[in-house]
Amino acid sequence: MTGTQQPSAGRPVAPFGRMLTAMITPMTADGALDADGAARLATYLVDDMRNDGLVISGTTGESPTTSDVEKDQLLRAVIEAVGDRATIVAGVGTNDTAHTIELAHQAERAGADALLVVTPYYNKPPQNGLLAHFTAVADATSLPNMLYDIPGRTGVPIATETLIQLAQHPRIVAVKDAKADFGAGSTVMANTGLFFYSGDDMLNLPWLALGACGFVSVVGHIVGDRLHEMIDAYLAGRVGEALEIHRELLPVFIGVMTRTQGAIATKAALGLLGLPGGTVRGPLIDATPQQVEQLRTDLVAGGVKLPGGAA
């Protein structure tokens, strides 16, 4: 098999669905985990925003500042709410191989469908260290693994040659790409069976053109249904329609992804929509009133209908 365009017999063209959202972790006013809010939000994302799957405890889910116990509670709440009709991918990646394996075991026990494993951050391992780390995590459970390549946060990219080697592992099946290297991604897709998911909302459409099978989105909290429409249009050959949707959503991409940190902006947007989100944990800090008003303007410009708003 060579990439997502030529699936072998019986192999899915998008193993976790095409439209996934990296879900925030709802919290109460005092900063505690809001498991009930997580169940309500997950239900909204699947039933109203047309998400095929959800990524739980990724970076947008504030995984660096939630405990292992909270991660387990959150995952179980989401699985109970929507696990019968959506793929649930558990974020388990840390910068400690042993801890990552512990979280992988925990997620498997909770009933996750798959694992998201980010490149170890801060300690900047060499490529042979990445190879050993990802292999050890993939060996630890029976679940399929999606690697998360985001060097802007981790400090280390997963090299093309490393991804080609890792693709030989039967449980390393996909990559969430936030590296924005179209040449490298194209080379990996042309030489492996790895499925690529866009991890950068502004680049969702061009990644589809290069063979990506779908998105792991942040703005999917707010416009997941329209992103799903964009995927459907592109795959049906209606490229002009897909481009139109992309351009209509530019203010949303800018408002949520560029004006402040993504979890901060997403929780502010959910607050405007009357959905569970709540506070963020330090070192993040809640959006200022001025940021919220700018976000309101951006969302309306992108066609998002806000309660009591003009859009």
Side-chain angles (χ1 to χ4, degrees), residues 35 39 56 69-83 88 105-111:
I56 308 303
V69 171
E70 288 174 321
K71 288 178 174 66
D72 189 55
Q73 292 172 338
L74 174 67
L75 181 59
R76 289 177 184 272
V78 171
I79 290 171
E80 182 177 357
V82 298
I88 307 303
H105 286 149
Q106 176 175 281
E108 185 175 42
R109 289 192 299 269

Side-chain angles (χ1 to χ4, degrees), residues 251-252 254-256 259 293-304:
V252 180
I254 292 168
V256 175
R259 298 199 189 277
E293 287 310 304
Q294 178 62 63
L295 179 60
R296 184 192 301 275
T297 299
D298 293 330
L299 296 181
V300 170
V304 177

Side-chain angles (χ1 to χ4, degrees), residues 4-311:
T4 64
Q5 299 305 304
Q6 301 177 31
S8 57
R11 180 165 176 144
V13 294
F16 310 127
R18 294 194 183 278
M19 179 61 216
L20 293 86
T21 287
M23 198 178 97
I24 60 102
T25 297
M27 295 176 186
T28 61
D30 61 359
L33 172 67
D34 181 4
D36 290 340
R40 295 197 306 274
L41 178 61
T43 300
Y44 174 81
L45 293 177
V46 173
D47 294 349
D48 294 88
M49 289 292 101
R50 295 187 64 197
N51 279 280
D52 303 316
L54 301 174
V55 174
I56 308 303
S57 292
T59 311
T60 305
E62 297 179 78
S63 59
T65 51
T66 57
S67 70
D68 292 1
V69 171
E70 288 174 321
K71 288 178 174 66
D72 189 55
Q73 292 172 338
L74 174 67
L75 181 59
R76 289 177 184 272
V78 171
I79 290 171
E80 182 177 357
V82 298
D84 61 336
R85 57 192 187 278
T87 302
I88 307 303
V89 182
V92 299
T94 74
N95 63 347
D96 175 353
T97 302
H99 188 200
T100 302
I101 289 172
E102 290 174 7
L103 290 174
H105 286 149
Q106 176 175 281
E108 185 175 42
R109 289 192 299 269
D113 296 305
L115 306 175
L116 179 75
V117 190
V118 72
T119 311
Y121 40 84
Y122 186 72
N123 39 21
K124 298 185 76 170
Q127 291 298 311
N128 58 350
L130 295 184
L131 184 66
H133 173 82
F134 288 126
T135 299
V137 177
D139 284 343
T141 78
S142 63
L143 299 177
N145 286 214
M146 178 191 293
L147 308 184
Y148 186 11
D149 192 4
I150 182 166
R153 287 187 184 273
T154 67
V156 177
I158 310 175
T160 298
E161 296 76 13
T162 304
L163 283 169
I164 290 172
Q165 286 183 270
L166 288 167
Q168 298 174 28
H169 196 291
R171 285 185 294 281
I172 296 176
V173 302
V175 177
K176 175 186 176 184
D177 188 284
K179 186 162 58 180
D181 188 334
F182 291 132
S186 296
T187 300
V188 173
M189 282 187 273
N191 288 279
T192 74
L194 287 174
F195 295 96
F196 264 62
Y197 285 82
S198 171
D200 185 341
D201 278 308
M202 190 67 81
L203 301 180
N204 284 341
L205 183 57
W207 269 120
L208 284 181
L210 292 172
C213 67
F215 313 151
V216 178
S217 174
V218 174
V219 302
H221 285 89
I222 306 149
V223 291
D225 53 345
R226 294 168 71 189
L227 291 177
H228 210 303
E229 289 172 6
M230 183 169 76
I231 294 171
D232 292 344
Y234 183 84
L235 294 177
R238 303 191 306 273
V239 177
E241 180 182 337
L243 179 59
E244 183 178 354
I245 294 170
H246 168 78
R247 289 176 173 171
E248 289 172 350
L249 292 178
L250 285 174
V252 180
F253 298 156
I254 292 168
V256 175
M257 301 306 299
T258 69
R259 298 199 189 277
T260 185
Q261 196 268 356
I264 295 171
T266 301
K267 286 192 171 184
L270 291 173
L272 290 172
L273 289 165
L275 294 167
T279 62
V280 294
R281 287 182 178 173
L284 301 184
I285 190 166
D286 293 335
T288 66
Q290 292 81 8
Q291 288 173 326
V292 172
E293 287 310 304
Q294 178 62 63
L295 179 60
R296 184 192 301 275
T297 299
D298 293 330
L299 296 181
V300 170
V304 177
K305 294 179 171 60
L306 300 176

